Amino acid sequence: FMMHTIPATAAMLVKDSAATGKPFVYEAEVSRNLALGTNMEAPADVIASLSYEGIPSAEELTERFNRLYVNEQTKQTAAEIAKAEQAESAKNTQKEPDWKEKINSKLSKLISIEYHDKPVAELMAKDEVYRLVNEGKFSEASVLMSAKPEYQTEDFAKWQKQSTAAEDFNQALKQIEALTIAVMKAENLTAENN
């Protein structure tokens, strides 16, 4: 059991603790201390800096985004209903307004999204951000969200922050794994040549 595998083992303990979605400060601190003075110090510092909040899983990120999406769409639909009703009462016409059909159609799609019926595919075709998130491509979705005004809300900003933290955490873990493998390969080569 070689010294360089100890920071990697600690990182695996961090990974297991982080999988619970709860803070993992103790495990991250142990990992950071073991990595001091090694080439694993920088990624261990990144992990430690993210340990206080907890890291959501990909499934949780997708679920949270979809909930926010439905909430935002519902708010927009409510605003459209109020606007259409105002316009209708201003006109005061006798014929059945077609805005009711449009609103009902939109509401039925929202209900379908929530219960994952067929209109989800239709929505994914229309909304690139929704599609990317539901394909697990969070960083691509986040970049696209920054350019779309409908995603400029406090809730979506919080989601983006969580998504970035998860990405940084996973990158740091991969870096520790890659560095461990590189050191082990180098030691094997040295042992074979002696």
Side-chain angles (χ1 to χ4, degrees), residues 162-183:
Q162 291 169 337
S163 167
T164 302
E167 183 75 22
D168 292 348
F169 174 80
N170 290 326
Q171 284 300 114
L173 273 180
K174 282 179 191 165
Q175 204 175 347
I176 288 174
E177 288 168 8
L179 288 167
T180 303
I181 290 167
V183 170

Side-chain angles (χ1 to χ4, degrees), residues 46-116:
V46 169
I47 288 169
S49 73
L50 298 167
S51 66
Y52 294 91
E53 296 289 319
I55 301 295
S57 67
E59 293 78 19
E60 286 172 313
L61 281 170
T62 303
E63 202 177 294
R64 287 176 193 179
F65 175 88
N66 289 345
R67 246 193 335 265
L68 286 175
Y69 191 89
V70 169
N71 288 345
E72 283 303 312
Q73 292 291 318
T74 306
K75 279 185 209 166
Q76 286 175 25
T77 303
E80 283 173 26
I81 291 170
K83 197 174 171 184
E85 282 177 345
Q86 283 177 342
E88 192 57 32
S89 63
K91 275 198 240 163
N92 208 5
T93 58
Q94 293 302 311
K95 68 179 180 82
E96 183 65 22
D98 68 84
W99 61 265
K100 280 187 182 174
E101 282 174 37
K102 287 179 187 168
I103 298 295
N104 284 335
S105 164
K106 191 164 184 179
L107 284 171
S108 69
K109 279 183 190 148
L110 286 174
I111 290 162
S112 299
I113 295 163
E114 208 142 15
Y115 298 103
H116 303 294

Side-chain angles (χ1 to χ4, degrees), residues 10 38-39 43 64 69 71 118 151 182 186:
T38 73
N39 58 357
R64 287 176 193 179
Y69 191 89
N71 288 345
K118 59 183 186 297
Y151 288 105

